[in-house]
Amino acid sequence: MPKRVVAFFSGAGGLDAGFTEPDYEHVALCEIDPTARSVLRRHWPDVPIFDDVRTFPCEEFHGRTDVVVG
């Protein structure tokens, strides 16, 4: 079973690219820059992308996350 990843400060996904299937599955990304978010959407179209770490719904991912990167 893949480890579930939440990534903060994702930028255009450079760090996230290292956490790839089959070992990892992104469950959420967080990036404030709209241009970078558009790149993330192309690479992870089915993963929710949040725009501010200060308002990220942590409780929604509690128990559903194995790895947090940032």
Side-chain angles (χ1 to χ4, degrees):
M1 175 172 217
K3 296 203 177 356
R4 298 161 297 189
V5 178
V6 169
F8 295 110
F9 314 107
S10 290
L15 178 63
D16 301 304
F19 291 88
T20 58
E21 295 179 19
D23 297 324
Y24 299 95
E25 171 192 4
H26 284 80
V27 294
L29 301 166
C30 189
E31 173 53 49
I32 200 165
D33 182 81
T35 303
R37 281 197 312 270
S38 70
V39 173
L40 294 172
R41 276 191 205 94
R42 279 183 269 159
H43 293 285
W44 290 277
D46 299 325
V47 176
I49 301 173
F50 298 89
D51 65 356
D52 195 332
V53 69
R54 296 171 296 180
T55 58
F56 182 84
C58 295
E59 62 284 342
E60 184 178 327
F61 296 93
H62 183 75
R64 292 185 43 214
T65 306
D66 301 305
V67 179
V68 175
V69 298

